[in-house]
């Protein structure tokens, strides 16, 4: 069964709840106080199954000015609105504020019901229609159909209203975004425990899943999922949902809290929005403290305008909200901004960047440009705003980004390209200054060029350059892929002299020369010679010694230093470094009784 959510809205005592009763047969004034006063104080919920196969879920929101926050909580989950305006009183101040709020929340479908038409004559009814047309001019509401209704003893217009409701299309919802449920009601169900309700958003969740409660950080398990009293296996985005939660008291959770999977929609305290300042709202200076409302959540915030220093009627500007407490919001969420005191609606709009960098005067223009690109649908500008800090993979997934990640972070392609150019330049300079070096040590390259990157991110960047055939790795060094060392005839002669001297020196080796050190390091890096505690030994002599040790251990289980001196004829001064080298290279193993040949040998 397809389903849409329709909220009633309008001024207090304009017949919203009475009209819903005429449509569904259910009275939503259930609390003793509501019945006594005849007004809706809390959100009410009911539904109507139509012969077309569609289910209409109704949210009855309060119309009293002191309950606008509750109204916003309900309106945030609407597909469409049923705006109720009394034919007796016409458009009232709260009617206009509700229209403004619904417009800010992006509600673009609905019906205007003129209620109590049985209490007025044709002239007053015509005046009410003119009043409505004036109030909705310039808003999506001016295209809403208007139907005359009466819900008394002789109902009027109810069938026509239901037909119009049946024709309202459901609002498209992002079913691949992270699951969230802004809680708008909490109660205890006898025999079940704590139950919360709200409009499910994003991906579905199933019975038995563990969810995070924001902002408390508590975890809870979903014991049961219901829609309109019927148990269902999983949630559906855009549907009114009740969750029976295990492991917590109803005092642990309240309206305004958010349920979500852990690590899917990170908490944020700085949010950039496309802001609209309402006609009739008082001026708003940049930096003023305001109330920030999203879903059923309300927090205090400071609002900073990007282009202007003061918002006036009709002002459209980007604005940054720095929140007193973190929230769980996503791109394209709709928000309402209200004055702290007296509490009136100032404006609102759409979240463009929920994870915005702090706005600073020196880069205001650049940030505004990238924010405009983001608003125009270019998610890469979000990466550009992050600069060299990059963006976590969790947040990048919310922008539906793909591409290379370094240490689980995304970076703008231009930044990665610049880093690669800097790396190549540093490596080229090393080759120029040290032509006999096989490459620059990776640690040195990291500290020189990109010290701010984590070791894993730096390693990932280097590997991307290796895969692109720009770099090659030689042990702990990196060089240009096509770089080769060609010795001059003079260097070749000196190199051969060092190698021959090391070969002739047997196991004693030769001391490290004080000249031609780069040439010596080249020979060491190419394994033409080996350094054993600053004595240069030829590889053939090393292999000859290893062969001698193997022969010794054929007849002996252990070898003492005296045995080693007997094998090599070396003095203690040269024997000890050799023994340490053999141990460190895994050829021998030192024990309390003496050295033995490693089993791998």
């Amino acid at each position: 069964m397809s389903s849409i959510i329709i909220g009633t809205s309008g001024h207090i005592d304009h017949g919203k709840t009475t009209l819903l009763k005429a449509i569904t047969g259910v009275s939503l004034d259930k609390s003793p106080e509501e019945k006594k006063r005849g007004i809706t104080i809390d959100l009410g919920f009911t539904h109507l199954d139509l012969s077309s196969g569609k289910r209409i879920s109704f949210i009855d929101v309060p119309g009293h000015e002191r309950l606008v926050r509750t109204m916003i909580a309900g309106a945030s989950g609407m597909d469409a609105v049923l705006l109720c305006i009394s034919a007796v009183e016409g458009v009232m101040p709260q009617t206009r504020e509700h229209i403004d709020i619904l417009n800010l929340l992006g509600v673009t479908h609905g019906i205007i019901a003129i209620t109590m038409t049985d209490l007025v004559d044709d002239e007053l009814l015509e005046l009410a229609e003119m009043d409505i047309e004036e109030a909705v001019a310039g808003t999506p509401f001016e295209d809403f159909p208007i139907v005359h209704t009466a819900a008394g003893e002789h109902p009027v217009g109810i069938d026509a209203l239901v037909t119009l409701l049946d024709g309202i299309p459901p609002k498209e919802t992002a079913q691949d975004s992270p699951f969230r449920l802004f809680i708008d009601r909490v109660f205890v169900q006898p025999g079940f425990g704590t139950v919360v309700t709200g409009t499910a958003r994003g991906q579905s969740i199933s019975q038995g899943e563990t969810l995070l409660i924001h902002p408390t950080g508590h975890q809870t398990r979903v014991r049961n999922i219901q829609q309109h009293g019927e148990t269902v296996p999983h949630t559906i985005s855009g549907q009114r949902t009740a969750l029976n939660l295990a492991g917590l008291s109803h005092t642990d959770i309240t309206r305004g809290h958010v349920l979500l999977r852990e690590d899917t929609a990170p908490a944020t305290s700085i949010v950039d929005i496309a802001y609209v300042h309402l006609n009739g709202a008082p001026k708003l200076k940049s930096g003023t403290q305001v109330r920030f409302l999203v879903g059923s959540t309300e927090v205090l915030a400071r609002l900073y305008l990007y282009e202007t220093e003061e918002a006036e009627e009709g002002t459209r500007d980007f604005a940054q909200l720095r929140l007193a407490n973190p929230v769980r919001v996503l791109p394209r969420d709709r928000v309402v901004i209200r004055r702290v005191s007296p509490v009136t609606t100032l404006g609102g709009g759409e979240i463009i960047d929920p994870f915005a960098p702090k706005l600073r005067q020196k880069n205001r223009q650049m940030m505004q440009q990238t924010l405009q690109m983001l608003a125009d649908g270019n998610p890469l500008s979000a990466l550009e705003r992050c600069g060299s800090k990059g963006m976590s993979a969790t947040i990048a997934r919310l922008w539906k980004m793909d591409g290379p990640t370094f240490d689980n972070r995304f970076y703008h392609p231009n930044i990665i390209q610049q880093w690669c150019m800097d790396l190549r330049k540093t490596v080229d300079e090393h080759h120029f200054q040290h032509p006999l070096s096989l490459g620059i040590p990776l640690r040195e390259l990291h500290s020189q060029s990109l010290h701010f990157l984590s070791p894993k991110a730096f390693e990932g960047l280097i590997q991307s350059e290796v895969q692109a055939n720009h770099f090659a790795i030689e042990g702990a060094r990196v060089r240009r892929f096509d770089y080769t060392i060609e010795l001059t005839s003079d260097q070749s002669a000196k190199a051969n002299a060092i190698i021959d001297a090391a070969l002739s020196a047997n196991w004693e080796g030769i001391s490290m020369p004080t000249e031609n050190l780069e040439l010596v390091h080249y020979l060491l890096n190419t394994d033409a010679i080996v350094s054993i505690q600053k004595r240069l030994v030829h590889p053939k002599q090393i292999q000859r010694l290893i062969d001698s040790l193997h022969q010794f251990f054929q007849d002996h289980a252990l070898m003492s230093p005296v045995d080693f001196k007997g094998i090599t004829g070396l003095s203690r001064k040269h024997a000890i470094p050799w023994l340490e080298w053999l141990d460190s290279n895994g050829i021998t193993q030192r024990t309390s009784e003496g050295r033995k040949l490693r089993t791998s040998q």
Side-chain angles (χ1 to χ4, degrees):
M1 178 177 288
S2 64
S3 178
I4 63 170
I5 300 175
I6 295 178
T8 63
S9 183
H11 192 75
I12 185 173
D13 283 337
H14 274 210
K16 300 183 300 296
T17 305
T18 303
L19 184 60
L20 270 187
K21 182 179 179 181
I23 295 172
T24 66
V26 178
S27 175
L28 294 179
D29 282 340
K30 294 181 178 180
S31 72
E33 186 179 359
E34 286 177 328
K35 291 180 178 179
K36 179 180 177 181
R37 297 171 61 185
I39 63 171
T40 300
I41 296 174
D42 208 340
L43 295 173
F45 305 96
T46 186
H47 68 279
L48 177 67
D49 291 336
L50 302 176
S51 58
S52 64
K54 180 182 293 185
R55 168 172 286 175
I56 299 180
S57 301
F58 288 103
I59 303 176
D60 188 21
V61 302
H64 197 285
E65 62 180 350
R66 290 179 297 175
L67 301 172
V68 170
R69 177 186 173 186
T70 306
M71 176 264 172
I72 293 171
S76 296
M78 293 179 184
D79 293 317
V81 63
L82 176 58
L83 180 63
C84 298
I85 302 174
S86 168
V88 177
E89 292 187 332
V91 175
M92 299 294 286
Q94 209 61 41
T95 311
R96 296 181 185 276
E97 185 170 18
H98 280 209
I99 291 172
D100 287 337
I101 290 172
L102 292 165
N103 196 22
L104 292 171
L105 292 175
V107 178
T108 57
H109 291 91
I111 300 166
I112 299 174
I114 302 179
T115 61
M116 309 178 188
T117 58
D118 55 339
L119 302 181
V120 298
D121 56 25
D122 291 344
E123 184 176 351
L124 283 177
L125 185 57
E126 185 178 356
L127 289 174
E129 286 186 336
M130 293 174 60
D131 198 16
I132 292 169
E133 290 172 0
E134 180 183 349
V136 301
T139 74
F141 287 64
E142 66 181 351
D143 296 324
F144 290 3
I146 298 175
V147 57
H148 299 174
T149 68
E153 187 175 346
H154 303 288
V156 174
I158 304 302
D159 291 340
L161 178 57
V162 170
T163 300
L164 290 172
L165 291 171
D166 194 8
I168 294 177
K171 182 169 62 177
E172 292 186 8
T173 58
Q175 300 189 21
D176 58 346
S177 63
F179 168 82
R180 288 179 301 160
L181 188 138
F182 286 90
I183 296 169
D184 54 34
R185 187 170 56 151
V186 180
F187 58 92
V188 176
Q189 184 76 22
F192 290 91
T194 302
V195 177
V196 301
T197 67
T199 301
R201 303 185 183 191
Q203 299 167 346
S204 65
I205 60 161
S206 304
Q207 179 180 331
E209 285 202 46
T210 298
L211 299 178
L212 178 73
I213 304 172
H214 176 85
T216 66
H218 295 153
Q219 290 189 333
T220 183
R221 181 174 56 83
V222 179
R223 183 182 290 161
N224 184 258
I225 304 172
Q226 289 195 351
Q227 292 176 357
H228 303 295
E230 299 175 2
T231 297
V232 293
H234 54 77
T235 62
I236 300 176
S237 184
Q239 299 292 309
R240 288 295 307 170
T241 305
L243 300 179
N244 178 209
L245 303 178
L248 76 162
S249 166
H250 71 282
T251 58
D252 296 329
I253 194 166
T254 187
R255 173 185 290 159
H257 287 180
V258 186
L259 285 172
L260 69 161
R261 290 190 178 102
E262 195 167 10
D263 298 329
T264 55
T268 181
S269 297
I270 302 180
V271 175
D272 280 349
I273 69 171
Y275 178 70
V276 178
H277 199 67
L278 293 176
N279 292 324
K283 293 181 180 180
L284 176 63
K285 287 186 177 181
S286 185
T288 299
Q289 189 178 49
V290 296
R291 298 176 187 268
F292 173 92
L293 292 90
V294 58
S296 59
T297 299
E298 177 182 346
V299 296
L300 292 176
R302 293 277 176 187
L303 184 146
Y304 296 88
L305 296 163
Y306 267 78
E307 191 170 351
T308 61
E309 289 301 318
E310 186 175 65
E312 301 179 348
E313 294 186 40
T315 294
R316 291 178 177 269
D317 192 3
F318 290 122
Q320 182 163 104
L321 281 303
R322 299 176 192 170
L323 310 177
N325 301 104
V327 295
R328 304 278 183 158
V329 293
L330 297 178
R332 307 306 177 190
D333 279 353
R334 292 281 183 157
V335 303
V336 174
I337 304 300
R338 308 195 82 208
R339 191 159 56 174
V340 173
S341 181
V343 183
T344 56
T345 303
L346 298 171
E350 186 176 60
I351 293 179
I352 304 301
D353 189 352
F355 312 102
K358 191 172 183 180
L359 175 62
R360 301 185 186 278
Q361 186 62 40
K362 63 180 181 180
N363 60 357
R364 176 185 295 264
Q365 186 175 1
M366 182 191 70
M367 287 184 65
Q368 187 172 353
Q369 291 173 350
T370 55
L371 189 57
Q372 183 61 61
M373 293 171 61
L374 194 57
D376 292 339
N378 179 8
L380 279 179
S381 59
L383 280 179
E384 190 172 1
R385 304 186 91 207
C386 294
S388 60
K389 294 180 180 179
M391 178 186 293
S392 72
T394 300
I395 294 177
R397 282 193 292 268
L398 301 178
W399 293 109
K400 298 180 176 58
M401 293 181 186
D402 55 12
T405 60
F406 303 118
D407 196 12
N408 210 32
R409 297 190 73 79
F410 280 72
Y411 301 90
H412 194 279
N414 291 346
I415 291 177
I416 295 175
Q417 183 180 21
Q418 184 59 55
W419 288 347
C420 292
M421 295 295 290
D422 292 343
L423 287 173
R424 295 170 202 169
K425 180 180 178 182
T426 303
V427 172
D428 286 344
E429 288 175 351
H430 180 85
H431 286 324
F432 178 77
Q433 295 172 7
H434 306 281
L436 296 181
S437 170
L438 290 181
I440 183 171
L442 283 164
R443 183 176 295 180
E444 181 181 337
L445 181 61
H446 188 188
S447 63
Q448 281 189 16
S449 299
L450 302 169
H451 58 86
F452 51 86
L453 282 181
S454 70
K456 283 188 177 181
F458 177 76
E459 180 183 355
L461 188 64
I462 292 295
Q463 288 300 324
S464 71
E465 285 290 272
V466 170
Q467 293 172 6
N469 289 332
H470 293 138
F471 287 160
I473 302 294
E474 298 283 353
R477 294 172 176 268
V478 61
R479 62 171 174 81
R480 276 289 199 160
F481 179 78
D482 56 354
Y483 183 76
T484 57
I485 297 175
E486 295 184 4
L487 299 181
T488 64
S489 57
D490 180 58
Q491 290 171 332
S492 295
K494 292 177 179 178
N496 290 331
I498 294 172
I499 293 171
D500 291 343
L503 181 61
S504 300
N506 201 351
W507 293 320
E508 185 175 327
I510 62 174
S511 61
M512 180 75 72
T514 57
E515 298 179 347
N516 302 311
L517 288 181
E518 282 203 358
L519 182 60
V520 172
H521 287 299
Y522 166 73
L523 295 175
L524 290 170
N525 289 331
T526 56
D527 297 325
I529 52 175
V530 178
S531 175
I532 300 178
Q533 290 202 2
K534 297 185 179 181
R535 302 290 296 180
L536 304 183
V537 181
H538 196 284
K540 288 184 178 180
Q541 301 292 8
I542 294 176
Q543 187 58 51
R544 192 166 67 86
L545 178 58
I546 293 173
D547 293 341
S548 298
L549 293 179
H550 276 278
Q551 186 175 357
F552 175 85
F553 280 113
Q554 287 179 1
D555 301 319
H556 304 81
L558 296 171
M559 179 182 70
S560 68
V562 173
D563 292 331
F564 183 74
K565 290 172 63 179
I567 296 169
T568 61
L570 292 172
S571 66
R572 184 179 184 280
K573 174 183 176 182
H574 297 302
I576 296 301
W578 260 110
L579 288 170
E580 292 175 350
W581 185 90
L582 290 167
D583 290 341
S584 63
N585 283 271
I587 297 166
T588 58
Q589 182 178 358
R590 185 177 181 180
T591 68
S592 57
E593 292 83 12
R595 282 178 171 80
K596 63 180 181 179
L597 193 68
R598 283 191 182 269
T599 56
S600 60
Q601 298 295 324

